[in-house]
Amino acid sequence: GLTFLAAGTSVPDLLSSVIVARMGEGDMAVSSSIGSNIFDILVGLPLPWLIYLVYPNDESLVVIGAEGVWISILILLGMLVLVVGSIHLSKWQLTKKLGITMFVFYILFLVQAIIRS
């Protein structure tokens, strides 16, 4: 369910990036995507926690399930190395081949996430 939610919230970013890229502004498309992800991490993740802490309730302790968090961190770091390595090998230029490579990395990431869950 969360994968579909994440995909749904990324559709507007995808559409704006595609429109800008078709106008010949590939750098702007990529920076928009990166900026959106940074915003999600810096605002989208902490905001619910902040609201929970500010909102008065009877709970004094929040239990977080952290089973398998280390394997998730290692997989994400591995994906980061693959992505940056692929961009470096393409001489920091966004090409069709690099786009296909990123898409394959994304599919592989989704497959491992589905298998692990």
Side-chain angles (χ1 to χ4, degrees), residues 30-82:
V30 172
S31 65
S32 170
S33 174
I34 292 170
S36 172
N37 286 320
I38 291 171
F39 177 82
D40 290 345
I41 291 168
L42 295 179
V43 175
L45 290 175
L47 189 61
W49 284 98
L50 180 63
I51 292 170
Y52 181 81
L53 291 173
V54 172
Y55 185 75
N57 57 31
D58 295 334
E59 299 289 325
S60 62
L61 181 67
V62 177
V63 179
I64 301 172
E67 303 85 33
V69 72
W70 289 110
I71 190 72
S72 296
I73 290 171
L74 290 174
I75 289 170
L76 287 172
L77 287 174
M79 289 299 291
L80 179 66
V81 169
L82 284 174

